[in-house]
Amino acid sequence: MPVMPAASLSLTTDIKYLKGVGPARAQLFASRGIRTVGDLLYYTPFRYEDRQRITPVRALIPGQTATVLVKILSGGLMRTRTGAYIYDLSAVDASAPAHEPPDKHWAPGMIRLKWFNAVYLEKNKVFRPGQRVFFYGKVDYDRFGSGNLQMVQPQFEILPDGETPNGHSLEVGRVVPIYESVGKMSARVIRRLIWTGLELLDGQIDDPLPPSVRHRNRLLDRSAALRQAHFPQPDVSLEDLANFRTPAQVRLIFEEFFNVTAGLALKRRQATRAHGIAFRVTEEIRRSVKRMLPFHPTAAQKRVIREIVTDMQASRPMARLLQGDVGSGKTIVALQAALVAIGNGYQVAFMAPTEILATQHYLYAKQLFKPLTCRLDLLTSARSSSEKAELKRRLAAGEIDLIFGTHALIESDVAFAQLGLVVVDEQHRFGVMQRYELIRKGQPPDVLIMTATPIPRTLALTLYADLDVSVIDEAPPGRRPIITRIIPEAERAQALEFVRGRVRRGEGAYIVYPLVEEAETLDLRPAVRMYEHLSRNVFPEFRLGLLHGRLRSQEKEAVMESFKRGEVQVLVSTSVVEVGVDVPHATVMLIEHAERFGLAQLHQLRGRVGRGQAQSYCLLVAGDNRTEAAEERLRALAETTDGFRLAETDLKIRGPGEFFGTRQAGMASLRIGNLVRDQDILEWARREAHEFLQRPESDPELQAFVSRLQREWPHRYGLAQVG
Ligand code: ADP
Ligand code: MG
């Protein structure tokens, strides 16, 4: 592999040209999204080890975590009485004489190093006598052996022959960055590569932050910040370092949030300039809305529909997020907006994350729109190809006003005569990317995105910053908070009795299982098997239905419909009922193996009940040996029905990546910023970015920044083009 001469190396150089990388490592790096030298330099350490102070072995205190520099005497793989393997080394301070001490088991300055089951250390001949090695770990007494000091499973760095620990060593005598390993590449290898990159690019790293912003906020320049974030200076505060609050780290986090928030603001600015449809609200539309509404909207529903309609009347395309907890009544609001578009002669596409939910929405709308003359239809995979072709023809000819479906609706071969409004019931299953694909099609339609998972503030400021937000913060009248209980396995029978009691009163119950098929090693009670068991042995007097993802969509629809009509009294299901299903007379949600579900998922499942006037219950049957995180989730759920609080908790337990599902988040590429830890820096950077963007368009700093961001945005943030 040719190695680039330093002069032509830059942050955008393909990483395979960096000295020491090559194609194999480049491929490993690519799996982590590291493709350029710049990407590598932004692969920041997740923690640091203070190896500035090397403690003489004699000065070690048990319980202390310390660094020693020692010379290997001897050692190897041993077997304990129980048959386990231990790799056991003895070593002495590197300053001690090199010959074996008279007593092989104990000598001043001697320490034992142990690893359990570390056959690989023997096999790979990692250690040799005479080597000088740097160990870092917790010190304790070897209580069973010699009474020596020992470190169990220490971190180590072997000093290359002849190298003395000095200021230039990357491993010794400094605060050392620890990276998450990438494939087989250890932290040590990555450290060397980053060092190489920094050395080769020294003085050639320019700064993306506008100089005036940097100076005003007293931020370190990028080159120094990168260097110090990887290789901190000796006088660094270890506490700040651990909290990601050294000037170098703060500067990089600021940079990241500045770029993200500025990019989203630019995108939004562009959207507000685009020319969309200015809908008009006529008397006739008002009348049809009144005829359609089966109940009085809540004050919150009235407020958000006003916000939405105001947007629709404006000529800029609407991009609005409609946020409201499960059961808060978002759908009816979206249907009112649909009537406005249809009344103006436009078509509406209503998309849901699953076919079950699309079908539900369709049936709900069909019911409500009965007094009106709208032409509604549903596009699902269940329809035959000739039906689909006919449906597409009618859509293109403008013979359908309101079409329901999944994301298949935005596939390229579906054409609309006059698409005016797109409603996306997101439930976090649509990605940011898809959103923009949609908006870019033809004359921009208005877009309304509904979400049941409340967006924590940090995410609202980033991921959703290019959307206006409407919030329904009030439940429809007469709703009672759902009673949630954690039920130990041992009390399952009582829980099932409780279900029997409710169903006898004419109410419906869901029983949800985590998986469809039997998992051999796990004690799961899969839906199919349990459906049979429950029908035969537990609830022989009731009619049960079974719903899972493997059913064909007509079968799913049929089961859902019977449950809705009350013909099926107990619906046994996998988590496919999670989203949107609306059966007001269902009052019990019993979740088996609740410890296996995520918090957001549990909240969604619980939202399937409590949709009518009757008191509803959520019973979380959970195994006894659950993890701490599972316990935390269940307790959070039992304590509150407030979706916003649950979302914040979830974000804290899982971190932002998983909260949204990585790729989908579009924020997977946040490299150093952390939406939980760095909320303060996010808000600061966002303020600065917005102020900076106020400058006149002729401002040279602004121009330079914007053109750079446009160039880097797609690679850096994986989102669609800005500005
Ligand atoms: P979401 O989509 O927000 O989860 P839905 O739109 O499915 O909630 O509404 C949940 C249930 O509440 C539906 O049965 C709906 O008809 C009913 N509903 C919505 N708004 C009201 C209201 N203002 N008064 C009474 N019932 C309502
Ligand atoms: Mg809904």
Side-chain angles (χ1 to χ4, degrees):
M1 183 53 52
V3 166
M4 284 257 181
S8 56
L9 197 77
S10 77
L11 288 177
T12 54
T13 305
D14 188 322
I15 193 164
K16 69 181 176 217
Y17 297 117
L18 180 67
K19 193 170 151 239
V21 178
R25 283 181 171 176
Q27 206 162 11
L28 281 179
F29 275 129
S31 71
R32 288 288 179 96
I34 300 170
R35 296 195 170 77
T36 65
V37 175
D39 292 340
L40 179 66
L41 296 192
Y42 277 86
Y43 192 69
T44 45
F46 72 98
R47 69 182 179 89
Y48 301 83
E49 274 175 21
D50 180 12
R51 296 181 185 168
Q52 293 178 101
R53 274 199 38 206
I54 298 168
T55 312
V57 173
R58 263 174 259 211
L60 290 176
I61 301 164
Q64 158 191 34
T65 298
T67 301
V68 295
L69 179 59
V70 291
K71 209 174 293 184
I72 304 293
L73 292 175
S74 59
L77 205 59
M78 322 271 243
R79 259 187 123 155
T80 66
R81 256 161 286 158
T82 58
Y85 285 107
I86 291 188
Y87 191 85
D88 186 349
L89 280 181
S90 51
V92 289
D93 272 337
S95 52
H99 57 78
E100 289 258 318
D103 179 347
K104 274 188 116 161
H105 298 290
W106 187 86
M110 183 157 147
I111 186 167
R112 306 284 283 265
L113 298 313
K114 291 179 186 173
W115 292 262
F116 297 115
N117 297 319
V119 180
Y120 65 94
L121 288 176
E122 176 89 3
K123 254 211 321 245
N124 301 343
K125 301 198 169 39
V126 175
F127 297 109
R128 286 179 278 105
Q131 262 176 342
R132 280 163 323 124
V133 187
F134 197 41
F135 291 101
Y136 172 86
K138 191 165 170 198
V139 181
D140 60 23
Y141 277 119
D142 173 8
R143 279 181 294 135
F144 302 105
S146 54
N148 266 347
L149 290 173
Q150 66 174 12
M151 283 183 185
V152 178
Q153 317 271 100
Q155 310 269 333
F156 63 89
E157 302 281 358
I158 300 167
L159 273 180
D161 285 337
E163 187 176 319
T164 47
N166 58 29
H168 302 299
S169 167
L170 300 185
E171 328 293 348
V172 186
R174 62 159 72 236
V175 176
V176 178
I178 309 295
Y179 304 89
E180 240 173 76
S181 50
V182 175
K184 271 188 249 158
M185 273 182 290
S186 64
R188 181 188 166 105
V189 170
I190 295 168
R191 189 180 302 134
R192 303 225 148 239
L193 294 174
I194 288 174
W195 176 264
T196 307
L198 286 169
E199 287 290 290
L200 291 176
L201 283 173
D202 195 29
Q204 298 171 60
I205 297 177
D206 57 348
D207 201 318
L209 281 180
S212 60
V213 172
R214 211 177 74 218
H215 294 314
R216 197 149 64 94
N217 291 284
R218 300 205 169 78
L219 294 164
L220 217 54
D221 73 85
R222 172 148 83 159
S223 182
L226 280 171
R227 187 171 278 273
Q228 290 173 30
H230 290 288
F231 298 98
Q233 292 174 311
D235 58 353
V236 72
S237 151
L238 293 170
E239 195 187 331
D240 287 352
L241 203 56
N243 295 328
F244 285 76
R245 286 297 177 274
T246 64
Q249 292 162 317
V250 166
R251 140 76 213 215
L252 294 179
I253 297 168
F254 181 96
E255 171 190 321
E256 183 153 64
F257 286 137
F258 189 88
N259 285 342
V260 170
T261 51
L264 288 168
L266 285 171
K267 213 156 147 169
R268 184 187 173 108
R269 190 185 279 185
Q270 179 202 28
T272 56
R273 282 180 194 158
H275 219 72
I277 308 156
F279 294 100
R280 291 185 317 133
V281 181
T282 60
E283 231 1 85
E284 199 189 328
I285 291 175
R286 282 182 214 283
R287 269 199 306 276
S288 58
V289 168
K290 274 212 191 90
R291 242 179 297 151
M292 180 267 283
L293 282 177
F295 37 63
H296 293 291
T298 61
Q301 283 170 320
K302 279 191 200 150
R303 173 169 41 76
V304 302
I305 189 67
R306 261 201 308 275
E307 289 166 0
I308 291 166
V309 171
T310 305
D311 265 11
M312 291 179 76
Q313 287 170 312
S315 68
R316 74 175 181 95
M318 169 168 77
R320 186 169 281 276
L321 185 73
L322 174 55
Q323 186 179 304
D325 215 340
V326 284
S328 61
K330 295 182 292 294
T331 316
I332 194 103
V333 167
L335 291 177
Q336 292 179 61
L339 281 182
V340 173
I342 296 167
N344 280 261
Y346 285 87
Q347 292 168 297
V348 179
F350 200 125
M351 304 198 299
T354 65
E355 293 203 337
I356 293 191
L357 190 51
T359 309
Q360 278 261 156
H361 281 320
Y362 168 67
L363 296 171
Y364 184 66
K366 213 160 96 175
Q367 178 79 20
L368 292 177
F369 282 23
K370 253 184 201 148
L372 311 174
T373 53
C374 296
R375 295 162 298 177
L376 276 56
D377 222 311
L378 172 69
L379 177 65
T380 65
S381 58
R383 314 200 77 160
S384 71
S385 45
S386 61
E387 277 178 322
K388 274 185 213 158
E390 171 61 9
L391 225 144
K392 283 177 193 168
R393 188 199 61 74
R394 284 168 51 222
L395 269 178
E399 293 167 23
I400 295 175
D401 301 312
L402 175 51
I403 179 85
F404 293 83
T406 63
H407 57 278
L409 278 183
I410 54 167
E411 276 168 12
S412 44
D413 67 332
V414 179
F416 291 84
Q418 280 247 64
L419 184 59
L421 172 69
V422 176
V423 178
V424 186
D425 191 355
E426 183 172 59
Q427 318 267 5
H428 291 309
R429 275 157 210 237
F430 281 91
V432 176
M433 287 293 255
Q434 269 165 315
R435 235 152 60 196
Y436 293 104
E437 285 311 316
L438 185 87
I439 293 168
R440 259 189 272 143
K441 256 192 174 181
Q443 184 195 24
D446 281 0
V447 177
L448 181 66
I449 297 160
M450 307 198 288
T451 176
T453 304
I455 317 292
R457 180 168 166 74
T458 40
L459 293 173
L461 289 178
T462 51
L463 187 51
Y464 287 90
D466 53 340
L467 300 175
D468 294 298
V469 180
S470 289
V471 183
I472 306 183
D473 49 7
E474 180 187 357
R479 294 285 166 81
R480 297 189 226 177
I482 299 162
I483 296 173
T484 304
R485 294 269 180 276
I486 302 170
I487 315 270
E489 296 259 3
E491 289 166 31
R492 172 181 292 109
Q494 286 102 300
L496 290 173
E497 277 318 303
F498 181 80
V499 170
R500 190 191 314 281
R502 307 313 297 186
V503 176
R504 280 212 179 116
R505 296 166 46 142
E507 298 169 10
Y510 297 91
I511 300 184
V512 176
Y513 293 89
L515 280 181
V516 188
E517 278 162 344
E518 184 126 42
E520 281 173 355
T521 51
L522 299 172
D523 175 32
L524 297 177
R525 272 153 226 281
V528 179
R529 189 163 60 86
M530 288 312 289
Y531 163 71
E532 281 158 16
H533 169 70
L534 291 170
S535 316
R536 219 172 298 139
N537 310 324
V538 184
F539 300 124
E541 74 271 41
F542 297 147
R543 289 177 304 276
L544 276 67
L546 174 63
L547 187 69
H548 60 72
R550 304 271 168 88
L551 294 179
R552 283 182 300 140
S553 11
Q554 290 118 310
E555 295 171 315
K556 285 183 206 159
E557 280 166 38
V559 177
M560 280 312 307
E561 272 310 289
S562 334
F563 185 53
K564 227 173 161 160
R565 285 196 297 267
E567 291 157 17
V568 161
Q569 296 158 289
V570 178
L571 186 64
V572 178
S573 171
T574 59
S575 54
V576 294
V577 293
E578 175 190 337
V579 276
V581 173
D582 185 35
V583 179
H585 77 272
T587 60
V588 188
M589 167 61 65
L590 187 151
I591 304 171
E592 287 274 3
H593 294 284
E595 76 278 5
R596 295 182 192 279
F597 291 90
L599 190 50
Q601 216 179 0
L602 289 170
H603 181 59
Q604 289 287 331
L605 283 169
R606 178 168 62 181
R608 298 310 106 216
V609 294
R611 305 188 138 240
Q613 310 273 327
Q615 176 65 56
S616 288
Y617 303 86
C618 177
L619 309 179
L620 307 165
V621 180
D624 297 330
N625 43 7
R626 44 192 186 246
T627 64
E628 208 167 297
E631 182 64 30
E632 220 177 314
R633 289 196 294 272
L634 296 180
R635 249 194 266 126
L637 201 75
E639 265 163 33
T640 182
T641 52
D642 180 342
F644 191 87
R645 272 182 54 199
L646 287 173
E648 293 269 339
T649 307
D650 203 19
L651 184 62
K652 278 190 187 118
I653 299 178
R654 291 199 290 165
E658 276 182 65
F659 182 81
F660 277 99
T662 0
R663 258 298 132 200
Q664 203 177 57
M667 279 291 136
S669 11
L670 273 188
R671 287 160 166 169
I672 179 165
N674 176 313
L675 292 173
V676 177
R677 183 191 64 207
D678 301 328
Q679 186 164 350
D680 52 342
I681 302 181
L682 167 60
E683 303 218 8
W684 168 33
R686 178 175 172 272
R687 248 187 350 260
E688 287 294 325
H690 283 217
E691 197 177 313
F692 177 67
L693 293 179
Q694 294 304 313
R695 294 195 186 180
E697 266 175 53
S698 57
D699 183 88
E701 267 195 357
L702 181 71
Q703 285 177 352
F705 175 78
V706 170
S707 70
R708 176 181 195 132
L709 195 61
Q710 280 169 343
R711 244 183 303 122
E712 291 179 358
W713 184 270
H715 174 74
R716 215 39 184 79
Y717 301 103
L719 295 173
Q721 208 44 268
V722 279

